[in-house]
mmCIF file of all heavy atoms in Angstrom:
data_model
loop_
_atom_site.group_PDB
_atom_site.id
_atom_site.type_symbol
_atom_site.label_atom_id
_atom_site.label_comp_id
_atom_site.label_asym_id
_atom_site.label_seq_id
_atom_site.Cartn_x
_atom_site.Cartn_y
_atom_site.Cartn_z
ATOM 1 N N LEU A 1684 -7.343 23.402 -40.911
ATOM 2 C CA LEU A 1684 -6.910 22.005 -40.974
ATOM 3 C C LEU A 1684 -8.113 21.109 -41.205
ATOM 4 O O LEU A 1684 -9.244 21.493 -40.914
ATOM 5 C CB LEU A 1684 -6.208 21.620 -39.668
ATOM 6 C CG LEU A 1684 -4.895 22.365 -39.391
ATOM 7 C CD1 LEU A 1684 -4.516 22.260 -37.922
ATOM 8 C CD2 LEU A 1684 -3.780 21.828 -40.274
ATOM 9 N N LEU A 1685 -7.861 19.926 -41.704
ATOM 10 C CA LEU A 1685 -8.935 18.955 -41.910
ATOM 11 C C LEU A 1685 -8.790 17.884 -40.838
ATOM 12 O O LEU A 1685 -7.739 17.771 -40.205
ATOM 13 C CB LEU A 1685 -8.805 18.339 -43.308
ATOM 14 C CG LEU A 1685 -8.746 19.355 -44.453
ATOM 15 C CD1 LEU A 1685 -8.412 18.661 -45.777
ATOM 16 C CD2 LEU A 1685 -10.079 20.089 -44.572
ATOM 17 N N PRO A 1686 -9.826 17.070 -40.636
ATOM 18 C CA PRO A 1686 -9.686 15.986 -39.656
ATOM 19 C C PRO A 1686 -8.509 15.079 -40.034
ATOM 20 O O PRO A 1686 -8.247 14.858 -41.211
ATOM 21 C CB PRO A 1686 -11.018 15.245 -39.766
ATOM 22 C CG PRO A 1686 -11.977 16.255 -40.300
ATOM 23 C CD PRO A 1686 -11.163 17.137 -41.219
ATOM 24 N N LEU A 1687 -7.815 14.593 -39.015
ATOM 25 C CA LEU A 1687 -6.678 13.695 -39.233
ATOM 26 C C LEU A 1687 -7.199 12.258 -39.217
ATOM 27 O O LEU A 1687 -7.698 11.794 -38.193
ATOM 28 C CB LEU A 1687 -5.653 13.899 -38.124
ATOM 29 C CG LEU A 1687 -4.468 12.949 -38.105
ATOM 30 C CD1 LEU A 1687 -3.605 13.112 -39.348
ATOM 31 C CD2 LEU A 1687 -3.622 13.161 -36.859
ATOM 32 N N VAL A 1688 -7.102 11.598 -40.354
ATOM 33 C CA VAL A 1688 -7.608 10.226 -40.456
ATOM 34 C C VAL A 1688 -6.423 9.276 -40.559
ATOM 35 O O VAL A 1688 -5.544 9.457 -41.405
ATOM 36 C CB VAL A 1688 -8.526 10.079 -41.686
ATOM 37 C CG1 VAL A 1688 -9.009 8.638 -41.825
ATOM 38 C CG2 VAL A 1688 -9.719 11.031 -41.568
ATOM 39 N N LEU A 1689 -6.382 8.279 -39.681
ATOM 40 C CA LEU A 1689 -5.281 7.318 -39.683
ATOM 41 C C LEU A 1689 -5.757 6.012 -40.315
ATOM 42 O O LEU A 1689 -6.807 5.481 -39.941
ATOM 43 C CB LEU A 1689 -4.822 7.043 -38.252
ATOM 44 C CG LEU A 1689 -4.293 8.246 -37.478
ATOM 45 C CD1 LEU A 1689 -4.086 7.880 -36.004
ATOM 46 C CD2 LEU A 1689 -2.989 8.736 -38.073
ATOM 47 N N THR A 1690 -4.982 5.498 -41.249
ATOM 48 C CA THR A 1690 -5.357 4.238 -41.864
ATOM 49 C C THR A 1690 -4.870 3.084 -40.992
ATOM 50 O O THR A 1690 -3.912 3.232 -40.220
ATOM 51 C CB THR A 1690 -4.703 4.092 -43.252
ATOM 52 O OG1 THR A 1690 -3.279 4.104 -43.078
ATOM 53 C CG2 THR A 1690 -5.110 5.218 -44.182
ATOM 54 N N GLU A 1691 -5.547 1.950 -41.136
ATOM 55 C CA GLU A 1691 -5.140 0.749 -40.389
ATOM 56 C C GLU A 1691 -3.697 0.412 -40.747
ATOM 57 O O GLU A 1691 -2.905 0.009 -39.889
ATOM 58 C CB GLU A 1691 -6.040 -0.445 -40.757
ATOM 59 C CG GLU A 1691 -7.488 -0.280 -40.342
ATOM 60 C CD GLU A 1691 -7.667 0.067 -38.880
ATOM 61 O OE1 GLU A 1691 -6.962 -0.539 -38.037
ATOM 62 O OE2 GLU A 1691 -8.500 0.945 -38.573
ATOM 63 N N GLU A 1692 -3.393 0.569 -42.017
ATOM 64 C CA GLU A 1692 -2.062 0.217 -42.500
ATOM 65 C C GLU A 1692 -0.981 1.030 -41.784
ATOM 66 O O GLU A 1692 0.046 0.510 -41.367
ATOM 67 C CB GLU A 1692 -2.024 0.496 -44.012
ATOM 68 C CG GLU A 1692 -0.883 -0.136 -44.725
ATOM 69 C CD GLU A 1692 -0.759 0.403 -46.150
ATOM 70 O OE1 GLU A 1692 -1.661 1.148 -46.592
ATOM 71 O OE2 GLU A 1692 0.248 0.082 -46.789
ATOM 72 N N ARG A 1693 -1.265 2.324 -41.623
ATOM 73 C CA ARG A 1693 -0.290 3.197 -40.968
ATOM 74 C C ARG A 1693 -0.097 2.779 -39.511
ATOM 75 O O ARG A 1693 1.020 2.703 -39.021
ATOM 76 C CB ARG A 1693 -0.796 4.633 -41.056
ATOM 77 C CG ARG A 1693 0.163 5.640 -40.439
ATOM 78 C CD ARG A 1693 -0.339 7.043 -40.734
ATOM 79 N NE ARG A 1693 0.613 8.060 -40.297
ATOM 80 C CZ ARG A 1693 0.423 9.361 -40.466
ATOM 81 N NH1 ARG A 1693 -0.670 9.793 -41.066
ATOM 82 N NH2 ARG A 1693 1.314 10.226 -40.049
ATOM 83 N N ILE A 1694 -1.193 2.484 -38.854
ATOM 84 C CA ILE A 1694 -1.120 2.086 -37.455
ATOM 85 C C ILE A 1694 -0.356 0.768 -37.326
ATOM 86 O O ILE A 1694 0.491 0.617 -36.446
ATOM 87 C CB ILE A 1694 -2.534 1.985 -36.848
ATOM 88 C CG1 ILE A 1694 -3.204 3.369 -36.837
ATOM 89 C CG2 ILE A 1694 -2.484 1.413 -35.434
ATOM 90 C CD1 ILE A 1694 -4.687 3.351 -36.530
ATOM 91 N N GLU A 1695 -0.639 -0.159 -38.244
ATOM 92 C CA GLU A 1695 0.049 -1.457 -38.208
ATOM 93 C C GLU A 1695 1.553 -1.298 -38.427
ATOM 94 O O GLU A 1695 2.350 -1.961 -37.776
ATOM 95 C CB GLU A 1695 -0.546 -2.415 -39.250
ATOM 96 C CG GLU A 1695 -1.903 -3.006 -38.864
ATOM 97 C CD GLU A 1695 -1.923 -3.585 -37.438
ATOM 98 O OE1 GLU A 1695 -0.982 -4.326 -37.075
ATOM 99 O OE2 GLU A 1695 -2.871 -3.279 -36.687
ATOM 100 N N THR A 1696 1.908 -0.432 -39.359
ATOM 101 C CA THR A 1696 3.333 -0.205 -39.626
ATOM 102 C C THR A 1696 4.036 0.325 -38.380
ATOM 103 O O THR A 1696 5.135 -0.096 -38.026
ATOM 104 C CB THR A 1696 3.494 0.805 -40.787
ATOM 105 O OG1 THR A 1696 2.739 0.324 -41.896
ATOM 106 C CG2 THR A 1696 4.947 0.982 -41.181
ATOM 107 N N ILE A 1697 3.371 1.254 -37.712
ATOM 108 C CA ILE A 1697 3.966 1.826 -36.490
ATOM 109 C C ILE A 1697 4.045 0.753 -35.412
ATOM 110 O O ILE A 1697 5.046 0.614 -34.710
ATOM 111 C CB ILE A 1697 3.158 3.053 -36.027
ATOM 112 C CG1 ILE A 1697 3.241 4.162 -37.085
ATOM 113 C CG2 ILE A 1697 3.664 3.542 -34.679
ATOM 114 C CD1 ILE A 1697 2.297 5.316 -36.864
ATOM 115 N N LYS A 1698 2.996 -0.038 -35.318
ATOM 116 C CA LYS A 1698 2.961 -1.097 -34.317
ATOM 117 C C LYS A 1698 4.144 -2.047 -34.540
ATOM 118 O O LYS A 1698 4.819 -2.450 -33.592
ATOM 119 C CB LYS A 1698 1.618 -1.858 -34.432
ATOM 120 C CG LYS A 1698 1.259 -2.653 -33.192
ATOM 121 C CD LYS A 1698 -0.110 -3.327 -33.328
ATOM 122 C CE LYS A 1698 -1.248 -2.467 -32.818
ATOM 123 N NZ LYS A 1698 -2.570 -3.081 -33.032
ATOM 124 N N ALA A 1699 4.405 -2.347 -35.801
ATOM 125 C CA ALA A 1699 5.496 -3.281 -36.113
ATOM 126 C C ALA A 1699 6.856 -2.690 -35.758
ATOM 127 O O ALA A 1699 7.838 -3.426 -35.593
ATOM 128 C CB ALA A 1699 5.453 -3.639 -37.595
ATOM 129 N N SER A 1700 6.914 -1.380 -35.635
ATOM 130 C CA SER A 1700 8.201 -0.741 -35.366
ATOM 131 C C SER A 1700 8.451 -0.536 -33.869
ATOM 132 O O SER A 1700 9.486 -0.027 -33.468
ATOM 133 C CB SER A 1700 8.267 0.627 -36.058
ATOM 134 O OG SER A 1700 7.527 1.577 -35.311
ATOM 135 N N LEU A 1701 7.479 -0.935 -33.033
ATOM 136 C CA LEU A 1701 7.630 -0.694 -31.593
ATOM 137 C C LEU A 1701 8.787 -1.516 -31.036
ATOM 138 O O LEU A 1701 8.918 -2.698 -31.333
ATOM 139 C CB LEU A 1701 6.350 -1.096 -30.843
ATOM 140 C CG LEU A 1701 5.127 -0.205 -30.973
ATOM 141 C CD1 LEU A 1701 4.015 -0.748 -30.091
ATOM 142 C CD2 LEU A 1701 5.433 1.225 -30.588
ATOM 143 N N PRO A 1702 9.603 -0.909 -30.201
ATOM 144 C CA PRO A 1702 10.669 -1.675 -29.548
ATOM 145 C C PRO A 1702 10.081 -2.498 -28.396
ATOM 146 O O PRO A 1702 8.922 -2.316 -28.026
ATOM 147 C CB PRO A 1702 11.584 -0.593 -29.000
ATOM 148 C CG PRO A 1702 10.658 0.556 -28.704
ATOM 149 C CD PRO A 1702 9.565 0.493 -29.746
ATOM 150 N N GLU A 1703 10.886 -3.410 -27.836
ATOM 151 C CA GLU A 1703 10.471 -4.110 -26.627
ATOM 152 C C GLU A 1703 10.400 -3.084 -25.496
ATOM 153 O O GLU A 1703 11.367 -2.355 -25.272
ATOM 154 C CB GLU A 1703 11.495 -5.192 -26.287
ATOM 155 C CG GLU A 1703 11.092 -6.034 -25.094
ATOM 156 C CD GLU A 1703 12.180 -7.066 -24.751
ATOM 157 O OE1 GLU A 1703 13.382 -6.751 -24.913
ATOM 158 O OE2 GLU A 1703 11.817 -8.172 -24.339
ATOM 159 N N LEU A 1704 9.282 -2.996 -24.827
ATOM 160 C CA LEU A 1704 9.089 -1.984 -23.794
ATOM 161 C C LEU A 1704 9.456 -2.537 -22.416
ATOM 162 O O LEU A 1704 9.601 -3.747 -22.249
ATOM 163 C CB LEU A 1704 7.648 -1.491 -23.842
ATOM 164 C CG LEU A 1704 7.371 -0.651 -25.105
ATOM 165 C CD1 LEU A 1704 5.900 -0.333 -25.253
ATOM 166 C CD2 LEU A 1704 8.197 0.625 -25.099
ATOM 167 N N PRO A 1705 9.615 -1.665 -21.421
ATOM 168 C CA PRO A 1705 10.160 -2.090 -20.120
ATOM 169 C C PRO A 1705 9.445 -3.305 -19.514
ATOM 170 O O PRO A 1705 10.121 -4.206 -19.007
ATOM 171 C CB PRO A 1705 9.979 -0.857 -19.240
ATOM 172 C CG PRO A 1705 9.913 0.291 -20.165
ATOM 173 C CD PRO A 1705 9.397 -0.212 -21.469
ATOM 174 N N ASP A 1706 8.112 -3.338 -19.557
ATOM 175 C CA ASP A 1706 7.397 -4.447 -18.917
ATOM 176 C C ASP A 1706 7.741 -5.794 -19.571
ATOM 177 O O ASP A 1706 8.011 -6.781 -18.878
ATOM 178 C CB ASP A 1706 5.885 -4.231 -18.981
ATOM 179 C CG ASP A 1706 5.465 -3.065 -18.109
ATOM 180 O OD1 ASP A 1706 6.181 -2.761 -17.125
ATOM 181 O OD2 ASP A 1706 4.426 -2.434 -18.422
ATOM 182 N N ALA A 1707 7.761 -5.797 -20.891
ATOM 183 C CA ALA A 1707 8.059 -7.038 -21.618
ATOM 184 C C ALA A 1707 9.505 -7.432 -21.392
ATOM 185 O O ALA A 1707 9.835 -8.613 -21.223
ATOM 186 C CB ALA A 1707 7.789 -6.838 -23.107
ATOM 187 N N LYS A 1708 10.366 -6.448 -21.365
ATOM 188 C CA LYS A 1708 11.790 -6.725 -21.189
ATOM 189 C C LYS A 1708 12.044 -7.294 -19.800
ATOM 190 O O LYS A 1708 12.812 -8.242 -19.630
ATOM 191 C CB LYS A 1708 12.580 -5.428 -21.404
ATOM 192 C CG LYS A 1708 14.073 -5.656 -21.455
ATOM 193 C CD LYS A 1708 14.807 -4.481 -22.074
ATOM 194 C CE LYS A 1708 14.560 -4.417 -23.555
ATOM 195 N NZ LYS A 1708 15.579 -3.786 -24.349
ATOM 196 N N LYS A 1709 11.381 -6.738 -18.816
ATOM 197 C CA LYS A 1709 11.553 -7.213 -17.443
ATOM 198 C C LYS A 1709 11.153 -8.688 -17.359
ATOM 199 O O LYS A 1709 11.864 -9.520 -16.793
ATOM 200 C CB LYS A 1709 10.674 -6.374 -16.519
ATOM 201 C CG LYS A 1709 10.772 -6.759 -15.044
ATOM 202 C CD LYS A 1709 9.919 -5.819 -14.202
ATOM 203 C CE LYS A 1709 9.783 -6.328 -12.780
ATOM 204 N NZ LYS A 1709 8.854 -5.496 -11.996
ATOM 205 N N GLN A 1710 10.015 -8.997 -17.967
ATOM 206 C CA GLN A 1710 9.520 -10.379 -17.969
ATOM 207 C C GLN A 1710 10.546 -11.308 -18.619
ATOM 208 O O GLN A 1710 10.856 -12.378 -18.111
ATOM 209 C CB GLN A 1710 8.189 -10.408 -18.751
ATOM 210 C CG GLN A 1710 7.301 -11.584 -18.416
ATOM 211 C CD GLN A 1710 6.989 -11.656 -16.912
ATOM 212 O OE1 GLN A 1710 6.730 -10.617 -16.289
ATOM 213 N NE2 GLN A 1710 7.055 -12.850 -16.346
#
Side-chain angles (χ1 to χ4, degrees):
Chain A
L1684 295 162
L1685 306 172
L1687 174 64
V1688 178
L1689 299 171
T1690 61
E1691 295 307 317
E1692 195 191 352
R1693 182 173 186 178
I1694 296 168
E1695 284 311 314
T1696 306
I1697 296 170
K1698 199 177 269 176
S1700 78
L1701 286 183
E1703 184 182 35
L1704 290 172
D1706 292 334
K1708 189 162 288 206
K1709 181 177 169 186
Q1710 202 56 41

